PDB file of all heavy atoms in Angstrom:
ATOM      1  N   THR A 736      -2.625   7.761  -4.801  1.00 92.00           N
ATOM      2  CA  THR A 736      -3.227   7.047  -3.676  1.00 92.00           C
ATOM      3  C   THR A 736      -2.626   5.647  -3.609  1.00 92.00           C
ATOM      4  O   THR A 736      -2.602   4.937  -4.617  1.00 92.00           O
ATOM      5  CB  THR A 736      -4.751   6.952  -3.833  1.00 92.00           C
ATOM      6  OG1 THR A 736      -5.297   8.273  -3.891  1.00 92.00           O
ATOM      7  CG2 THR A 736      -5.374   6.212  -2.657  1.00 92.00           C
ATOM      8  N   ILE A 737      -2.136   5.274  -2.437  1.00 94.00           N
ATOM      9  CA  ILE A 737      -1.506   3.971  -2.229  1.00 94.00           C
ATOM     10  C   ILE A 737      -2.525   3.040  -1.588  1.00 94.00           C
ATOM     11  O   ILE A 737      -3.137   3.380  -0.570  1.00 94.00           O
ATOM     12  CB  ILE A 737      -0.272   4.078  -1.315  1.00 94.00           C
ATOM     13  CG1 ILE A 737       0.609   5.280  -1.714  1.00 94.00           C
ATOM     14  CG2 ILE A 737       0.514   2.784  -1.327  1.00 94.00           C
ATOM     15  CD1 ILE A 737       1.136   5.228  -3.121  1.00 94.00           C
ATOM     16  N   LYS A 738      -2.705   1.849  -2.177  1.00 93.00           N
ATOM     17  CA  LYS A 738      -3.655   0.866  -1.648  1.00 93.00           C
ATOM     18  C   LYS A 738      -2.926  -0.447  -1.388  1.00 93.00           C
ATOM     19  O   LYS A 738      -2.031  -0.817  -2.149  1.00 93.00           O
ATOM     20  CB  LYS A 738      -4.805   0.653  -2.638  1.00 93.00           C
ATOM     21  CG  LYS A 738      -5.517   1.953  -3.018  1.00 93.00           C
ATOM     22  CD  LYS A 738      -6.460   1.764  -4.188  1.00 93.00           C
ATOM     23  CE  LYS A 738      -6.993   3.081  -4.702  1.00 93.00           C
ATOM     24  NZ  LYS A 738      -7.856   2.916  -5.882  1.00 93.00           N
ATOM     25  N   ARG A 739      -3.346  -1.151  -0.336  1.00 93.00           N
ATOM     26  CA  ARG A 739      -2.622  -2.345   0.102  1.00 93.00           C
ATOM     27  C   ARG A 739      -3.584  -3.460   0.472  1.00 93.00           C
ATOM     28  O   ARG A 739      -4.704  -3.207   0.919  1.00 93.00           O
ATOM     29  CB  ARG A 739      -1.750  -1.983   1.311  1.00 93.00           C
ATOM     30  CG  ARG A 739      -0.793  -3.070   1.756  1.00 93.00           C
ATOM     31  CD  ARG A 739      -0.009  -2.616   2.963  1.00 93.00           C
ATOM     32  NE  ARG A 739      -0.777  -2.711   4.193  1.00 93.00           N
ATOM     33  CZ  ARG A 739      -0.321  -2.362   5.396  1.00 93.00           C
ATOM     34  NH1 ARG A 739       0.895  -1.873   5.516  1.00 93.00           N
ATOM     35  NH2 ARG A 739      -1.073  -2.489   6.466  1.00 93.00           N
ATOM     36  N   ALA A 740      -3.121  -4.694   0.264  1.00 93.00           N
ATOM     37  CA  ALA A 740      -3.887  -5.865   0.672  1.00 93.00           C
ATOM     38  C   ALA A 740      -2.921  -6.940   1.146  1.00 93.00           C
ATOM     39  O   ALA A 740      -1.707  -6.870   0.897  1.00 93.00           O
ATOM     40  CB  ALA A 740      -4.727  -6.392  -0.495  1.00 93.00           C
ATOM     41  N   THR A 741      -3.432  -7.940   1.831  1.00 92.00           N
ATOM     42  CA  THR A 741      -2.616  -9.086   2.225  1.00 92.00           C
ATOM     43  C   THR A 741      -2.965 -10.318   1.390  1.00 92.00           C
ATOM     44  O   THR A 741      -2.477 -11.405   1.663  1.00 92.00           O
ATOM     45  CB  THR A 741      -2.806  -9.399   3.721  1.00 92.00           C
ATOM     46  OG1 THR A 741      -4.206  -9.535   3.989  1.00 92.00           O
ATOM     47  CG2 THR A 741      -2.223  -8.283   4.584  1.00 92.00           C
ATOM     48  N   THR A 742      -3.817 -10.099   0.386  1.00 91.00           N
ATOM     49  CA  THR A 742      -4.177 -11.151  -0.566  1.00 91.00           C
ATOM     50  C   THR A 742      -4.040 -10.607  -1.972  1.00 91.00           C
ATOM     51  O   THR A 742      -4.492  -9.484  -2.243  1.00 91.00           O
ATOM     52  CB  THR A 742      -5.625 -11.637  -0.344  1.00 91.00           C
ATOM     53  OG1 THR A 742      -5.767 -12.079   1.013  1.00 91.00           O
ATOM     54  CG2 THR A 742      -5.968 -12.778  -1.283  1.00 91.00           C
ATOM     55  N   SER A 743      -3.442 -11.356  -2.864  1.00 89.00           N
ATOM     56  CA  SER A 743      -3.286 -10.900  -4.245  1.00 89.00           C
ATOM     57  C   SER A 743      -4.652 -10.632  -4.874  1.00 89.00           C
ATOM     58  O   SER A 743      -5.562 -11.438  -4.770  1.00 89.00           O
ATOM     59  CB  SER A 743      -2.543 -11.960  -5.067  1.00 89.00           C
ATOM     60  OG  SER A 743      -2.394 -11.530  -6.407  1.00 89.00           O
ATOM     61  N   GLY A 744      -4.785  -9.467  -5.495  1.00 85.00           N
ATOM     62  CA  GLY A 744      -6.052  -9.084  -6.114  1.00 85.00           C
ATOM     63  C   GLY A 744      -7.001  -8.356  -5.197  1.00 85.00           C
ATOM     64  O   GLY A 744      -8.085  -7.945  -5.605  1.00 85.00           O
ATOM     65  N   GLY A 745      -6.603  -8.170  -3.913  1.00 81.00           N
ATOM     66  CA  GLY A 745      -7.433  -7.433  -2.973  1.00 81.00           C
ATOM     67  C   GLY A 745      -8.394  -8.328  -2.208  1.00 81.00           C
ATOM     68  O   GLY A 745      -8.266  -9.549  -2.241  1.00 81.00           O
ATOM     69  N   PRO A 746      -9.341  -7.710  -1.463  1.00 82.00           N
ATOM     70  CA  PRO A 746      -9.674  -6.284  -1.519  1.00 82.00           C
ATOM     71  C   PRO A 746      -8.595  -5.403  -0.892  1.00 82.00           C
ATOM     72  O   PRO A 746      -7.977  -5.779   0.105  1.00 82.00           O
ATOM     73  CB  PRO A 746     -10.975  -6.196  -0.708  1.00 82.00           C
ATOM     74  CG  PRO A 746     -10.896  -7.366   0.233  1.00 82.00           C
ATOM     75  CD  PRO A 746     -10.200  -8.452  -0.516  1.00 82.00           C
ATOM     76  N   TYR A 747      -8.399  -4.218  -1.520  1.00 85.00           N
ATOM     77  CA  TYR A 747      -7.378  -3.293  -1.071  1.00 85.00           C
ATOM     78  C   TYR A 747      -7.974  -2.262  -0.112  1.00 85.00           C
ATOM     79  O   TYR A 747      -9.137  -1.880  -0.242  1.00 85.00           O
ATOM     80  CB  TYR A 747      -6.760  -2.548  -2.261  1.00 85.00           C
ATOM     81  CG  TYR A 747      -6.146  -3.452  -3.304  1.00 85.00           C
ATOM     82  CD1 TYR A 747      -6.814  -3.729  -4.494  1.00 85.00           C
ATOM     83  CD2 TYR A 747      -4.896  -4.020  -3.108  1.00 85.00           C
ATOM     84  CE1 TYR A 747      -6.254  -4.558  -5.457  1.00 85.00           C
ATOM     85  CE2 TYR A 747      -4.322  -4.849  -4.061  1.00 85.00           C
ATOM     86  CZ  TYR A 747      -5.012  -5.119  -5.230  1.00 85.00           C
ATOM     87  OH  TYR A 747      -4.454  -5.932  -6.177  1.00 85.00           O
ATOM     88  N   THR A 748      -7.171  -1.820   0.841  1.00 86.00           N
ATOM     89  CA  THR A 748      -7.529  -0.697   1.694  1.00 86.00           C
ATOM     90  C   THR A 748      -6.552   0.439   1.423  1.00 86.00           C
ATOM     91  O   THR A 748      -5.398   0.207   1.061  1.00 86.00           O
ATOM     92  CB  THR A 748      -7.477  -1.073   3.185  1.00 86.00           C
ATOM     93  OG1 THR A 748      -6.167  -1.551   3.508  1.00 86.00           O
ATOM     94  CG2 THR A 748      -8.496  -2.148   3.507  1.00 86.00           C
ATOM     95  N   THR A 749      -7.033   1.652   1.597  1.00 87.00           N
ATOM     96  CA  THR A 749      -6.188   2.819   1.334  1.00 87.00           C
ATOM     97  C   THR A 749      -5.125   2.942   2.409  1.00 87.00           C
ATOM     98  O   THR A 749      -5.425   3.006   3.597  1.00 87.00           O
ATOM     99  CB  THR A 749      -7.037   4.094   1.276  1.00 87.00           C
ATOM    100  OG1 THR A 749      -7.993   3.967   0.223  1.00 87.00           O
ATOM    101  CG2 THR A 749      -6.157   5.308   1.017  1.00 87.00           C
ATOM    102  N   ARG A 750      -3.869   2.979   1.961  1.00 89.00           N
ATOM    103  CA  ARG A 750      -2.743   3.108   2.890  1.00 89.00           C
ATOM    104  C   ARG A 750      -2.314   4.566   3.029  1.00 89.00           C
ATOM    105  O   ARG A 750      -1.919   5.001   4.101  1.00 89.00           O
ATOM    106  CB  ARG A 750      -1.560   2.255   2.381  1.00 89.00           C
ATOM    107  CG  ARG A 750      -0.345   2.279   3.293  1.00 89.00           C
ATOM    108  CD  ARG A 750      -0.609   1.508   4.572  1.00 89.00           C
ATOM    109  NE  ARG A 750       0.435   1.734   5.542  1.00 89.00           N
ATOM    110  CZ  ARG A 750       0.412   2.639   6.488  1.00 89.00           C
ATOM    111  NH1 ARG A 750      -0.639   3.430   6.626  1.00 89.00           N
ATOM    112  NH2 ARG A 750       1.402   2.769   7.346  1.00 89.00           N
ATOM    113  N   ALA A 751      -2.365   5.329   1.933  1.00 90.00           N
ATOM    114  CA  ALA A 751      -1.964   6.738   1.972  1.00 90.00           C
ATOM    115  C   ALA A 751      -2.643   7.476   0.823  1.00 90.00           C
ATOM    116  O   ALA A 751      -2.884   6.912  -0.243  1.00 90.00           O
ATOM    117  CB  ALA A 751      -0.455   6.887   1.871  1.00 90.00           C
ATOM    118  N   ILE A 752      -2.984   8.744   1.059  1.00 87.00           N
ATOM    119  CA  ILE A 752      -3.557   9.594   0.027  1.00 87.00           C
ATOM    120  C   ILE A 752      -2.701  10.843  -0.125  1.00 87.00           C
ATOM    121  O   ILE A 752      -1.836  11.122   0.710  1.00 87.00           O
ATOM    122  CB  ILE A 752      -5.004  10.000   0.369  1.00 87.00           C
ATOM    123  CG1 ILE A 752      -5.051  10.780   1.698  1.00 87.00           C
ATOM    124  CG2 ILE A 752      -5.920   8.788   0.426  1.00 87.00           C
ATOM    125  CD1 ILE A 752      -6.416  11.342   2.019  1.00 87.00           C
ATOM    126  N   SER A 753      -2.914  11.560  -1.213  1.00 86.00           N
ATOM    127  CA  SER A 753      -2.230  12.838  -1.465  1.00 86.00           C
ATOM    128  C   SER A 753      -0.719  12.692  -1.463  1.00 86.00           C
ATOM    129  O   SER A 753       0.009  13.596  -1.019  1.00 86.00           O
ATOM    130  CB  SER A 753      -2.669  13.888  -0.431  1.00 86.00           C
ATOM    131  OG  SER A 753      -4.067  14.070  -0.462  1.00 86.00           O
ATOM    132  N   VAL A 754      -0.201  11.557  -1.946  1.00 91.00           N
ATOM    133  CA  VAL A 754       1.242  11.361  -2.089  1.00 91.00           C
ATOM    134  C   VAL A 754       1.676  12.073  -3.362  1.00 91.00           C
ATOM    135  O   VAL A 754       1.179  11.786  -4.452  1.00 91.00           O
ATOM    136  CB  VAL A 754       1.596   9.860  -2.169  1.00 91.00           C
ATOM    137  CG1 VAL A 754       3.082   9.673  -2.428  1.00 91.00           C
ATOM    138  CG2 VAL A 754       1.185   9.160  -0.880  1.00 91.00           C
ATOM    139  N   THR A 755       2.596  13.017  -3.260  1.00 90.00           N
ATOM    140  CA  THR A 755       2.975  13.829  -4.417  1.00 90.00           C
ATOM    141  C   THR A 755       4.221  13.316  -5.128  1.00 90.00           C
ATOM    142  O   THR A 755       4.508  13.740  -6.246  1.00 90.00           O
ATOM    143  CB  THR A 755       3.214  15.286  -3.982  1.00 90.00           C
ATOM    144  OG1 THR A 755       4.189  15.319  -2.919  1.00 90.00           O
ATOM    145  CG2 THR A 755       1.915  15.915  -3.478  1.00 90.00           C
ATOM    146  N   ASN A 756       4.964  12.407  -4.500  1.00 91.00           N
ATOM    147  CA  ASN A 756       6.134  11.823  -5.156  1.00 91.00           C
ATOM    148  C   ASN A 756       5.737  10.551  -5.900  1.00 91.00           C
ATOM    149  O   ASN A 756       4.610  10.074  -5.780  1.00 91.00           O
ATOM    150  CB  ASN A 756       7.222  11.492  -4.123  1.00 91.00           C
ATOM    151  CG  ASN A 756       7.710  12.726  -3.406  1.00 91.00           C
ATOM    152  OD1 ASN A 756       7.849  13.784  -3.998  1.00 91.00           O
ATOM    153  ND2 ASN A 756       7.967  12.602  -2.111  1.00 91.00           N
ATOM    154  N   THR A 757       6.685   9.989  -6.662  1.00 93.00           N
ATOM    155  CA  THR A 757       6.441   8.701  -7.325  1.00 93.00           C
ATOM    156  C   THR A 757       7.142   7.580  -6.570  1.00 93.00           C
ATOM    157  O   THR A 757       7.576   6.588  -7.158  1.00 93.00           O
ATOM    158  CB  THR A 757       6.898   8.737  -8.794  1.00 93.00           C
ATOM    159  OG1 THR A 757       8.274   9.130  -8.833  1.00 93.00           O
ATOM    160  CG2 THR A 757       6.058   9.706  -9.599  1.00 93.00           C
ATOM    161  N   SER A 758       7.241   7.754  -5.265  1.00 93.00           N
ATOM    162  CA  SER A 758       7.789   6.721  -4.396  1.00 93.00           C
ATOM    163  C   SER A 758       7.116   6.833  -3.034  1.00 93.00           C
ATOM    164  O   SER A 758       6.601   7.891  -2.666  1.00 93.00           O
ATOM    165  CB  SER A 758       9.309   6.866  -4.242  1.00 93.00           C
ATOM    166  OG  SER A 758       9.632   8.101  -3.637  1.00 93.00           O
ATOM    167  N   TYR A 759       7.107   5.728  -2.317  1.00 94.00           N
ATOM    168  CA  TYR A 759       6.469   5.704  -1.004  1.00 94.00           C
ATOM    169  C   TYR A 759       7.076   4.579  -0.188  1.00 94.00           C
ATOM    170  O   TYR A 759       7.337   3.486  -0.709  1.00 94.00           O
ATOM    171  CB  TYR A 759       4.962   5.487  -1.147  1.00 94.00           C
ATOM    172  CG  TYR A 759       4.233   5.353   0.167  1.00 94.00           C
ATOM    173  CD1 TYR A 759       3.912   6.468   0.921  1.00 94.00           C
ATOM    174  CD2 TYR A 759       3.866   4.098   0.655  1.00 94.00           C
ATOM    175  CE1 TYR A 759       3.240   6.348   2.130  1.00 94.00           C
ATOM    176  CE2 TYR A 759       3.193   3.971   1.853  1.00 94.00           C
ATOM    177  CZ  TYR A 759       2.888   5.099   2.588  1.00 94.00           C
ATOM    178  OH  TYR A 759       2.221   4.982   3.789  1.00 94.00           O
ATOM    179  N   THR A 760       7.330   4.834   1.094  1.00 93.00           N
ATOM    180  CA  THR A 760       7.853   3.823   1.999  1.00 93.00           C
ATOM    181  C   THR A 760       6.803   3.470   3.036  1.00 93.00           C
ATOM    182  O   THR A 760       6.341   4.332   3.779  1.00 93.00           O
ATOM    183  CB  THR A 760       9.132   4.313   2.700  1.00 93.00           C
ATOM    184  OG1 THR A 760      10.127   4.605   1.717  1.00 93.00           O
ATOM    185  CG2 THR A 760       9.666   3.243   3.642  1.00 93.00           C
ATOM    186  N   ASP A 761       6.405   2.213   3.046  1.00 93.00           N
ATOM    187  CA  ASP A 761       5.409   1.724   4.002  1.00 93.00           C
ATOM    188  C   ASP A 761       6.150   1.090   5.174  1.00 93.00           C
ATOM    189  O   ASP A 761       6.797   0.047   5.028  1.00 93.00           O
ATOM    190  CB  ASP A 761       4.502   0.705   3.316  1.00 93.00           C
ATOM    191  CG  ASP A 761       3.303   0.322   4.189  1.00 93.00           C
ATOM    192  OD1 ASP A 761       3.208   0.838   5.316  1.00 93.00           O
ATOM    193  OD2 ASP A 761       2.465  -0.477   3.724  1.00 93.00           O
ATOM    194  N   THR A 762       6.045   1.730   6.320  1.00 91.00           N
ATOM    195  CA  THR A 762       6.727   1.225   7.513  1.00 91.00           C
ATOM    196  C   THR A 762       5.769   0.513   8.475  1.00 91.00           C
ATOM    197  O   THR A 762       6.200  -0.026   9.484  1.00 91.00           O
ATOM    198  CB  THR A 762       7.432   2.373   8.252  1.00 91.00           C
ATOM    199  OG1 THR A 762       6.469   3.390   8.560  1.00 91.00           O
ATOM    200  CG2 THR A 762       8.536   2.978   7.392  1.00 91.00           C
ATOM    201  N   ASP A 763       4.473   0.531   8.148  1.00 91.00           N
ATOM    202  CA  ASP A 763       3.491  -0.147   8.994  1.00 91.00           C
ATOM    203  C   ASP A 763       3.299  -1.580   8.483  1.00 91.00           C
ATOM    204  O   ASP A 763       2.223  -1.971   8.033  1.00 91.00           O
ATOM    205  CB  ASP A 763       2.170   0.619   8.968  1.00 91.00           C
ATOM    206  CG  ASP A 763       1.146   0.019   9.925  1.00 91.00           C
ATOM    207  OD1 ASP A 763       1.556  -0.704  10.846  1.00 91.00           O
ATOM    208  OD2 ASP A 763      -0.062   0.273   9.731  1.00 91.00           O
ATOM    209  N   VAL A 764       4.378  -2.344   8.525  1.00 92.00           N
ATOM    210  CA  VAL A 764       4.359  -3.721   8.021  1.00 92.00           C
ATOM    211  C   VAL A 764       4.996  -4.643   9.056  1.00 92.00           C
ATOM    212  O   VAL A 764       5.749  -4.195   9.921  1.00 92.00           O
ATOM    213  CB  VAL A 764       5.104  -3.841   6.675  1.00 92.00           C
ATOM    214  CG1 VAL A 764       4.400  -3.043   5.597  1.00 92.00           C
ATOM    215  CG2 VAL A 764       6.562  -3.396   6.813  1.00 92.00           C
ATOM    216  N   THR A 765       4.712  -5.934   8.922  1.00 92.00           N
ATOM    217  CA  THR A 765       5.259  -6.946   9.819  1.00 92.00           C
ATOM    218  C   THR A 765       6.153  -7.887   9.033  1.00 92.00           C
ATOM    219  O   THR A 765       5.740  -8.393   7.976  1.00 92.00           O
ATOM    220  CB  THR A 765       4.125  -7.747  10.487  1.00 92.00           C
ATOM    221  OG1 THR A 765       3.269  -6.845  11.210  1.00 92.00           O
ATOM    222  CG2 THR A 765       4.691  -8.791  11.447  1.00 92.00           C
ATOM    223  N   ASN A 766       7.347  -8.093   9.515  1.00 91.00           N
ATOM    224  CA  ASN A 766       8.273  -8.997   8.833  1.00 91.00           C
ATOM    225  C   ASN A 766       7.649 -10.385   8.669  1.00 91.00           C
ATOM    226  O   ASN A 766       7.008 -10.913   9.583  1.00 91.00           O
ATOM    227  CB  ASN A 766       9.589  -9.111   9.598  1.00 91.00           C
ATOM    228  CG  ASN A 766      10.448  -7.877   9.463  1.00 91.00           C
ATOM    229  OD1 ASN A 766      10.315  -7.120   8.513  1.00 91.00           O
ATOM    230  ND2 ASN A 766      11.343  -7.652  10.423  1.00 91.00           N
ATOM    231  N   GLY A 767       7.860 -10.967   7.487  1.00 91.00           N
ATOM    232  CA  GLY A 767       7.364 -12.304   7.212  1.00 91.00           C
ATOM    233  C   GLY A 767       5.999 -12.353   6.549  1.00 91.00           C
ATOM    234  O   GLY A 767       5.570 -13.414   6.085  1.00 91.00           O
ATOM    235  N   ILE A 768       5.286 -11.212   6.487  1.00 93.00           N
ATOM    236  CA  ILE A 768       3.971 -11.153   5.835  1.00 93.00           C
ATOM    237  C   ILE A 768       4.130 -10.531   4.451  1.00 93.00           C
ATOM    238  O   ILE A 768       4.802  -9.515   4.297  1.00 93.00           O
ATOM    239  CB  ILE A 768       2.969 -10.337   6.671  1.00 93.00           C
ATOM    240  CG1 ILE A 768       2.703 -11.029   8.016  1.00 93.00           C
ATOM    241  CG2 ILE A 768       1.666 -10.125   5.918  1.00 93.00           C
ATOM    242  CD1 ILE A 768       1.767 -10.266   8.921  1.00 93.00           C
ATOM    243  N   THR A 769       3.504 -11.142   3.449  1.00 95.00           N
ATOM    244  CA  THR A 769       3.557 -10.604   2.089  1.00 95.00           C
ATOM    245  C   THR A 769       2.446  -9.583   1.903  1.00 95.00           C
ATOM    246  O   THR A 769       1.282  -9.843   2.226  1.00 95.00           O
ATOM    247  CB  THR A 769       3.406 -11.725   1.050  1.00 95.00           C
ATOM    248  OG1 THR A 769       4.474 -12.662   1.222  1.00 95.00           O
ATOM    249  CG2 THR A 769       3.468 -11.168  -0.363  1.00 95.00           C
ATOM    250  N   TYR A 770       2.816  -8.409   1.399  1.00 95.00           N
ATOM    251  CA  TYR A 770       1.859  -7.322   1.148  1.00 95.00           C
ATOM    252  C   TYR A 770       1.763  -7.067  -0.353  1.00 95.00           C
ATOM    253  O   TYR A 770       2.763  -7.120  -1.070  1.00 95.00           O
ATOM    254  CB  TYR A 770       2.292  -6.049   1.872  1.00 95.00           C
ATOM    255  CG  TYR A 770       2.304  -6.182   3.380  1.00 95.00           C
ATOM    256  CD1 TYR A 770       3.443  -6.628   4.047  1.00 95.00           C
ATOM    257  CD2 TYR A 770       1.179  -5.876   4.132  1.00 95.00           C
ATOM    258  CE1 TYR A 770       3.458  -6.764   5.431  1.00 95.00           C
ATOM    259  CE2 TYR A 770       1.182  -6.011   5.520  1.00 95.00           C
ATOM    260  CZ  TYR A 770       2.328  -6.446   6.163  1.00 95.00           C
ATOM    261  OH  TYR A 770       2.341  -6.574   7.520  1.00 95.00           O
ATOM    262  N   TYR A 771       0.539  -6.771  -0.799  1.00 96.00           N
ATOM    263  CA  TYR A 771       0.266  -6.520  -2.212  1.00 96.00           C
ATOM    264  C   TYR A 771      -0.201  -5.074  -2.371  1.00 96.00           C
ATOM    265  O   TYR A 771      -1.062  -4.606  -1.610  1.00 96.00           O
ATOM    266  CB  TYR A 771      -0.800  -7.485  -2.732  1.00 96.00           C
ATOM    267  CG  TYR A 771      -0.401  -8.936  -2.590  1.00 96.00           C
ATOM    268  CD1 TYR A 771      -0.604  -9.623  -1.387  1.00 96.00           C
ATOM    269  CD2 TYR A 771       0.176  -9.630  -3.643  1.00 96.00           C
ATOM    270  CE1 TYR A 771      -0.233 -10.952  -1.238  1.00 96.00           C
ATOM    271  CE2 TYR A 771       0.553 -10.959  -3.515  1.00 96.00           C
ATOM    272  CZ  TYR A 771       0.340 -11.609  -2.306  1.00 96.00           C
ATOM    273  OH  TYR A 771       0.709 -12.926  -2.165  1.00 96.00           O
ATOM    274  N   TYR A 772       0.342  -4.372  -3.365  1.00 95.00           N
ATOM    275  CA  TYR A 772       0.079  -2.944  -3.530  1.00 95.00           C
ATOM    276  C   TYR A 772      -0.416  -2.620  -4.937  1.00 95.00           C
ATOM    277  O   TYR A 772      -0.029  -3.276  -5.919  1.00 95.00           O
ATOM    278  CB  TYR A 772       1.342  -2.129  -3.275  1.00 95.00           C
ATOM    279  CG  TYR A 772       1.886  -2.216  -1.876  1.00 95.00           C
ATOM    280  CD1 TYR A 772       2.772  -3.219  -1.517  1.00 95.00           C
ATOM    281  CD2 TYR A 772       1.510  -1.293  -0.904  1.00 95.00           C
ATOM    282  CE1 TYR A 772       3.275  -3.308  -0.223  1.00 95.00           C
ATOM    283  CE2 TYR A 772       2.005  -1.372   0.392  1.00 95.00           C
ATOM    284  CZ  TYR A 772       2.891  -2.381   0.720  1.00 95.00           C
ATOM    285  OH  TYR A 772       3.384  -2.466   1.999  1.00 95.00           O
ATOM    286  N   VAL A 773      -1.269  -1.598  -5.032  1.00 95.00           N
ATOM    287  CA  VAL A 773      -1.597  -0.928  -6.287  1.00 95.00           C
ATOM    288  C   VAL A 773      -1.589   0.569  -6.006  1.00 95.00           C
ATOM    289  O   VAL A 773      -1.737   0.997  -4.851  1.00 95.00           O
ATOM    290  CB  VAL A 773      -2.968  -1.363  -6.855  1.00 95.00           C
ATOM    291  CG1 VAL A 773      -2.944  -2.814  -7.294  1.00 95.00           C
ATOM    292  CG2 VAL A 773      -4.077  -1.110  -5.849  1.00 95.00           C
ATOM    293  N   VAL A 774      -1.420   1.364  -7.061  1.00 95.00           N
ATOM    294  CA  VAL A 774      -1.377   2.829  -6.943  1.00 95.00           C
ATOM    295  C   VAL A 774      -2.316   3.417  -7.989  1.00 95.00           C
ATOM    296  O   VAL A 774      -2.383   2.919  -9.123  1.00 95.00           O
ATOM    297  CB  VAL A 774       0.053   3.362  -7.159  1.00 95.00           C
ATOM    298  CG1 VAL A 774       0.070   4.887  -7.149  1.00 95.00           C
ATOM    299  CG2 VAL A 774       0.993   2.821  -6.091  1.00 95.00           C
ATOM    300  N   SER A 775      -3.060   4.458  -7.612  1.00 92.00           N
ATOM    301  CA  SER A 775      -3.886   5.197  -8.572  1.00 92.00           C
ATOM    302  C   SER A 775      -3.461   6.658  -8.568  1.00 92.00           C
ATOM    303  O   SER A 775      -2.895   7.153  -7.586  1.00 92.00           O
ATOM    304  CB  SER A 775      -5.374   5.074  -8.235  1.00 92.00           C
ATOM    305  OG  SER A 775      -5.643   5.597  -6.941  1.00 92.00           O
ATOM    306  N   ALA A 776      -3.724   7.345  -9.676  1.00 91.00           N
ATOM    307  CA  ALA A 776      -3.353   8.752  -9.824  1.00 91.00           C
ATOM    308  C   ALA A 776      -4.597   9.628  -9.753  1.00 91.00           C
ATOM    309  O   ALA A 776      -5.677   9.223 -10.194  1.00 91.00           O
ATOM    310  CB  ALA A 776      -2.630   8.972 -11.146  1.00 91.00           C
ATOM    311  N   ILE A 777      -4.461  10.829  -9.201  1.00 87.00           N
ATOM    312  CA  ILE A 777      -5.539  11.812  -9.173  1.00 87.00           C
ATOM    313  C   ILE A 777      -5.165  12.930 -10.139  1.00 87.00           C
ATOM    314  O   ILE A 777      -4.169  13.630  -9.939  1.00 87.00           O
ATOM    315  CB  ILE A 777      -5.761  12.392  -7.766  1.00 87.00           C
ATOM    316  CG1 ILE A 777      -6.017  11.263  -6.756  1.00 87.00           C
ATOM    317  CG2 ILE A 777      -6.915  13.388  -7.783  1.00 87.00           C
ATOM    318  CD1 ILE A 777      -7.265  10.465  -7.020  1.00 87.00           C
TER     319      ILE A 777
END
């Protein structure tokens, strides 16, 4: 599960679930904004 925030430490919102690879490309982003990510495993 991929989680994202625009502030370090969150709060995070779920960006994607059921990702089966160990990589992910987030294309729903805006240039110039810093994004913070964490990942959890199921």
